[in-house]
Amino acid sequence: MTIRWMLPMLGLALAGLLVFAPSNAAEKGDMVSAELGKEVPNFALKDTFGKEFKLSEFKGKTIVLEWVNQGCPVSKGAHKKKIMQDTYAKYAGKEVIWLGIDTTAGAQPEKNRVYAAEMGIAFPILHDTDGKVGRMFGAKTTPHMFVIDKSGKLAYTGAIDDQGKTNYVAAALDDLLAGRTVGTPKTDPYGCSVKYPKD
């Protein structure tokens, strides 16, 4: 009787392990970092209107991520000069997706909604309220730019430009759209430090 009783219990225990194993794996997967030359982990964030955007929904397209903070004079200065907006507009018709991401502690969607309207920003600004996506990418500054190629791999990380003539993001996009490897895949980002939410 004891053996007959233990076998079903053992089966239930094994089933429980099978049920929980994928969940734990998924949780560990969420902590994977985005690395240059490797496939970027999926993430989901909501924009200033509450609409959810998933990275996976843009599969097969080139994606630009821009870390923003309207309280940062460098990030705001780039928007005032229309550097981001003009670069976005240049490639918008070439299946290039541009997403702003705000990881700033206490950032408010309604304020970013107004800011986007004032600055003429046509691309979505997503809110990384717990800082997980920023930490996943290792975002250091506002702005900090990332370009993901059509295969979902991180192809560029760094600054928008050299604060002079060279627009690194535009150069990376030109290379990718021409089927070339990005000539300068990494540069040092500049700007204000990302003000991450506290854990």
Side-chain angles (χ1 to χ4, degrees):
M1 290 293 292
T2 303
I3 295 175
R4 288 180 181 178
W5 179 81
M6 287 178 65
L7 286 174
M9 293 300 292
L10 183 60
L12 286 172
L14 288 171
L17 286 173
L18 290 172
V19 168
F20 285 105
S23 176
N24 290 336
E27 288 176 10
K28 289 180 181 178
D30 290 341
M31 301 306 291
V32 175
S33 298
E35 298 179 35
L36 200 58
K38 295 185 179 180
E39 188 171 348
V40 175
N42 189 34
F43 65 80
L45 295 174
K46 292 182 180 180
D47 70 0
T48 58
F49 295 93
K51 179 183 176 181
E52 185 176 79
F53 286 76
K54 292 182 179 179
L55 188 67
S56 58
E57 70 184 89
F58 302 114
K59 186 176 181 181
K61 295 185 179 181
T62 305
I63 304 163
V64 176
L65 303 180
E66 173 201 347
W67 255 258
V68 305
N69 176 4
Q70 61 172 289
C72 168
V74 182
S75 178
K76 191 171 185 176
H79 292 143
K80 281 186 174 181
K81 294 175 184 176
K82 305 295 182 183
I83 296 172
M84 307 303 186
Q85 299 94 312
D86 289 348
T87 308
Y88 160 71
K90 181 180 178 181
Y91 297 95
K94 300 177 181 179
E95 292 196 328
V96 174
I97 305 298
W98 193 295
L99 302 172
I101 298 180
D102 193 342
T103 299
T104 310
Q108 299 177 20
E110 58 271 21
K111 288 187 176 181
N112 267 335
R113 191 159 57 241
V114 173
Y115 176 74
E118 291 175 343
M119 291 292 174
I121 296 173
F123 51 84
I125 296 179
L126 312 182
H127 280 254
D128 181 24
T129 55
D130 56 12
K132 286 184 179 179
V133 176
R135 291 186 176 94
M136 181 177 78
F137 278 87
K140 298 177 181 178
T141 61
T142 50
H144 193 159
M145 311 298 297
F146 299 86
V147 179
I148 302 167
D149 67 20
K150 290 182 179 181
S151 68
K153 294 179 180 179
L154 185 60
Y156 172 79
T157 172
I160 177 65
D161 55 28
D162 61 356
Q163 303 184 64
K165 294 181 179 179
T166 304
N167 184 320
Y168 293 127
V169 170
L173 291 174
D174 286 339
D175 283 340
L176 291 174
L177 292 173
R180 300 187 297 261
T181 300
V182 175
T184 304
K186 187 175 183 180
T187 62
D188 293 325
Y190 64 88
C192 309
S193 61
V194 176
K195 307 301 187 291
Y196 280 96
K198 292 182 179 179
D199 294 328

